Amino acid sequence: METPPLKVGLFGIGLDVYWEQFAGLEDRLRGYIGEVASGIERSGAAVVNLGLIDTVDKAYEAGRKFKQEDVELIFLYVTTYALSSTVLPVIKKAKVPVIILNLAPEAAIDYATFNKLDDLTKMTGEWLAYCSACPVPEIANVFRRANIPFHQVTGVLHNDPAVWQQIDDWIAAAKVAHVMSYNRLGLMGNYYNGMLDIYSNLTLQSIVFGGHMEIIEVDELSAIRLEVSEDEVKDKLEEFSESFEIIPECSIDELKRAARTSVALDKIVKKYSLGSIAYYHKGAGNPLNADTMSSVIMGTSLLTSNHIPVAGEYEVKNAQAMKIMDSFGAGGSFTEYYAMDFTDDVVLMGHDGPCHPAIAEGRIKVKPLKVYHGKVGSGLSVEMSVKHGPVTLLSVVETGDGKLFFLVAEAASVAGPILEIGNTNSRYRFPISAKNFVEQWNAHGPAHHCAIGVGHIASKIMKLGQLLGIETVKVC
């Protein structure tokens, strides 16, 4: 099933008695609403613009229309003074998050020109066009008393980049919430035995994020793998050559084995319309499954690069974090602490298994490993560093009282020596020092995995948390 487009609602408010009193005011405010609608459309969301709501009857109709159109976020543009009774019915009926836009048309009234109008009616009409701040406390009071969560963007309609950055971030967060609500997460295999921190409440994940979880047997992937043709293997080998730097020590037999598994993974993703995967399976005692699960790394890396992030060790929470980061356009590489470098004040982080080629610094190397540390089997593995520059870490944390929260940190991926052991490896420098980061991050009790993406996007993740109704903790 294809994910339907995100729909965002927009309406402005005013007081109907003003329109006969102040010539041109209504048309002027409608024009401002149109400007906001155009700005939202530039962010890629479909806008359901209901224009200026200035009576209770229109408010009831607006709420019904928003619900009918299935909008997932509403921008309430406060254009001038308006009664809270023209707002409450809309939001109560729509039952979606609301962002109050408190935007003056310009940074300040031109007082000299204003005071030369020599017509008190014209002067009042001009003032009312700048009066957006006036009813916001009234609206906020009613929302609080009605237990309706709300968020605010305050600033200037024209020439205020900070305002539009906030609006863009809210839309980006709404898009990610929308993607997660339709995402199909494939769960293949079982937990890594004894990793108590990664065990997750699947029902809680579904309640908070929505989406669907598809339980998939490893045997099915092995069976599909047996049906892969030689032509399909050949095509996949060409894709490997284009996507990776394959060192000479990699045998053609191992490459073909990985290619066959990669084709099978593509087929199972298509069959179940998967948007992400969490997997782990020893394969001990079953030669077919052992052959399959020891040859997944290149195929799962390609999937991750193609917006189907794959988390190893059956780490469901981190598959969710990786999907969130990828949906923000930041990537989302599977990682954990590898070591601390107190000399250079960096934390080395990485993981075995899938990498994220789309956010790699340079070409990804494919290396043959005689042993997968802590796991059964041997085969090909990938080695990369995350692109140098700003990065954001995200962990989806499950608490002892049955809740989820986001744990985030902003840092930098920096150049320097890495452990060339055929795994993802990066060096991260934190503004609060490596020691303080590790202690503060650990203090919040996350699982030992997290997702790393490029860019500093903590503000967007915070907004996503607000839309989902969960807390976001920022370490740095």
Side-chain angles (χ1 to χ4, degrees):
M1 181 183 72
E2 289 190 11
T3 303
L6 171 72
K7 288 185 180 180
V8 172
L10 170 67
F11 73 109
I13 53 173
L15 192 58
D16 61 339
V17 298
Y18 287 161
W19 315 144
E20 292 185 2
Q21 294 176 328
F22 307 105
L25 179 61
E26 181 181 9
D27 288 341
R28 182 175 177 180
L29 299 184
R30 289 187 184 278
Y32 292 158
I33 296 169
E35 291 184 51
V36 172
S38 297
I40 293 173
E41 287 172 346
R42 285 194 294 272
S43 296
V47 182
V48 179
N49 178 12
L50 301 188
L52 198 58
I53 306 301
D54 55 8
T55 67
V56 172
D57 288 344
K58 291 180 181 178
Y60 280 110
E61 176 61 22
R64 186 196 66 78
K65 182 66 172 177
F66 281 143
K67 190 171 184 178
Q68 182 183 57
E69 291 285 344
D70 194 28
V71 301
E72 298 185 41
L73 180 70
I74 290 176
F75 287 100
L76 161 58
Y77 181 19
V78 184
T79 58
T80 187
Y81 177 74
L83 297 168
S84 50
S85 61
T86 60
V87 174
L88 184 61
V90 182
I91 306 304
K92 277 183 65 68
K93 188 70 172 177
K95 290 184 172 63
V96 297
V98 57
I99 315 296
I100 299 173
L101 300 181
N102 175 8
L103 307 180
E106 305 296 343
I109 296 171
D110 183 341
Y111 303 105
T113 302
F114 179 90
N115 289 324
K116 289 179 181 178
L117 289 174
D118 288 332
D119 183 324
L120 293 180
T121 300
K122 287 184 178 179
M123 293 171 75
T124 302
E126 181 67 17
W127 156 58
L128 288 172
Y130 281 82
C131 195
S132 57
C134 180
V136 174
E138 176 179 340
I139 294 166
N141 172 277
V142 173
F143 281 169
R144 289 294 297 269
R145 291 166 71 179
N147 292 316
I148 295 174
F150 64 93
H151 314 284
Q152 302 177 66
V153 176
T154 303
V156 182
L157 175 61
H158 301 126
N159 303 313
D160 190 342
V163 159
W164 287 102
Q165 184 62 60
Q166 287 190 68
I167 292 173
D168 288 348
D169 285 355
W170 278 115
I171 293 170
K175 286 180 179 177
V176 174
H178 180 74
V179 167
M180 295 301 291
S181 71
Y182 283 92
N183 184 53
R184 295 187 178 217
L185 169 59
L187 303 178
M188 185 167 58
N190 46 267
Y191 288 115
Y192 190 106
N193 186 37
M195 282 186 184
L196 303 182
D197 62 321
I198 67 172
Y199 300 169
S200 185
N201 183 333
L202 301 187
T203 303
L204 177 61
Q205 295 286 327
S206 297
I207 290 169
V208 173
F209 294 112
H212 169 71
M213 295 189 184
E214 189 72 41
I215 309 297
I216 301 169
E217 299 292 341
V218 171
D219 305 68
E220 183 176 7
L221 181 62
S222 295
I224 293 172
R225 190 171 176 270
L226 292 175
E227 303 300 321
V228 173
S229 70
E230 291 304 316
D231 285 343
E232 289 174 314
V233 169
K234 181 181 177 182
D235 290 343
K236 184 60 70 172
L237 288 172
E238 290 179 2
E239 187 178 356
F240 283 173
S241 296
E242 294 171 359
S243 302
F244 303 106
E245 178 186 338
I246 301 170
I247 70 171
E249 290 81 0
C250 297
S251 71
I252 187 61
D253 288 341
E254 282 293 342
L255 287 166
K256 286 182 177 180
R257 193 163 73 94
R260 189 173 300 279
T261 304
S262 182
V263 173
L265 283 164
D266 293 345
K267 290 176 182 289
I268 210 162
V269 164
K270 183 177 181 180
K271 178 178 179 179
Y272 292 108
S273 300
L274 301 181
S276 55
I277 299 173
Y279 79 96
Y280 175 72
H281 191 64
K282 285 185 179 180
N286 183 321
L288 282 178
N289 287 347
D291 197 38
T292 297
M293 300 311 290
S294 61
S295 58
V296 298
I297 292 176
M298 295 182 75
T300 51
S301 295
L302 289 179
L303 288 175
T304 300
S305 184
N306 290 315
H307 310 295
I308 303 168
V310 184
E313 296 174 0
Y314 210 77
E315 173 59 291
V316 173
K317 298 187 296 297
N318 212 41
Q320 301 281 58
M322 292 166 69
K323 185 66 177 181
I324 288 167
M325 296 297 279
D326 189 77
S327 299
F328 273 123
S333 191
F334 191 45
T335 199
E336 65 187 9
Y337 298 153
Y338 261 23
M340 295 183 68
D341 183 332
F342 291 98
T343 301
D344 289 342
D345 194 29
V346 296
V347 182
L348 277 64
M349 300 180 75
H351 210 280
D352 61 355
C355 71
H356 200 312
I359 61 170
E361 179 70 28
R363 296 267 288 172
I364 301 99
K365 290 184 178 179
V366 178
K367 293 184 174 182
L369 298 184
K370 294 181 180 179
V371 61
Y372 292 137
H373 67 273
K375 300 178 175 68
V376 173
S378 61
L380 300 180
S381 188
V382 289
E383 181 180 284
M384 63 156 269
S385 291
V386 170
K387 193 174 298 182
H388 297 156
V391 295
T392 301
L393 286 67
L394 171 64
S395 178
V396 174
V397 186
E398 190 170 321
T399 67
D401 57 353
K403 296 180 181 177
L404 296 179
F405 71 90
F406 291 144
L407 183 62
V408 299
E410 293 181 336
S413 174
V414 297
I418 63 167
L419 309 178
E420 298 176 8
I421 56 175
N423 294 173
T424 58
N425 267 264
S426 292
R427 300 163 60 87
Y428 298 111
R429 181 164 288 125
F430 296 88
I432 57 174
S433 83
K435 177 181 177 180
N436 286 331
F437 161 72
V438 166
E439 290 188 347
Q440 292 184 34
W441 184 267
N442 295 349
H444 293 286
H448 69 285
H449 300 129
C450 68
I452 290 186
V454 294
H456 285 167
I457 63 167
S459 63
K460 294 180 180 179
I461 295 171
M462 288 178 181
K463 288 178 172 61
L464 174 62
Q466 290 175 307
L467 294 180
L468 295 174
I470 63 176
E471 182 185 8
T472 301
V473 177
K474 184 180 179 184
V475 168
C476 58

